């Protein structure tokens, strides 16, 4: 299992990015959360099978629509089992 945090920058707010991320996570059987940051970035934590996390992160890099544009994504491995039961949009 892999547990990661990521900070996504670019045009990622106001374009459905959080809901796209939630849908992508659910389709890859990933638990965790996603939220907008005050500086315009989006942060997330994700937990799931290694190959599912890898495919999820590749999908996130592409973004949800032609209006979204990911310019940078910093991913960090975390340790432990966060015991998430779903993938939530935080406010």
């Amino acid at each position: 299992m892999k547990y990661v945090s990521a900070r996504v920058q670019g045009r990622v707010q106001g374009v459905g990015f959080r809901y796209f991320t939630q849908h992508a996570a659910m389709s890859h059987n990933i638990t965790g959360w996603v939220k907008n940051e005050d500086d315009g970035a989006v942060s997330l934590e994700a937990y799931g099978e290694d190959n599912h996390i890898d495919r999820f992160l590749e999908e996130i890099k592409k973004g949800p629509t032609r209006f979204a544009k990911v310019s940078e994504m910093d991913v960090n491995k975390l340790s432990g089992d966060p015991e998430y039961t779903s993938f939530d949009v935080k406010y």
Side-chain angles (χ1 to χ4, degrees), residues 3 37 49 80 87:
Y3 180 28
E37 297 294 345
E49 296 287 337
F87 196 93

Side-chain angles (χ1 to χ4, degrees), residues 11-61:
R11 191 177 329 129
V12 292
Q13 289 191 16
V15 292
F17 195 86
R18 289 175 298 162
Y19 298 99
F20 164 78
T21 301
Q22 182 183 43
H23 178 65
M26 291 167 53
S27 70
H28 292 289
N29 296 316
I30 291 170
T31 58
W33 55 263
V34 60
K35 72 175 183 173
N36 284 346
E37 297 294 345
D38 291 338
D39 65 358
V42 170
S43 294
L44 65 90
E45 285 191 8
Y47 182 75
E49 296 287 337
D50 288 12
N51 60 334
H52 292 209
I53 292 287
D54 294 342
R55 283 183 276 166
F56 165 73
L57 292 173
E58 285 301 316
E59 192 170 340
I60 296 308
K61 284 181 189 176

Side-chain angles (χ1 to χ4, degrees), residues 58-70:
E58 285 301 316
E59 192 170 340
I60 296 308
K61 284 181 189 176
K62 294 175 186 171
T65 67
R66 61 189 175 123
F67 300 110
K69 178 164 176 46
V70 174

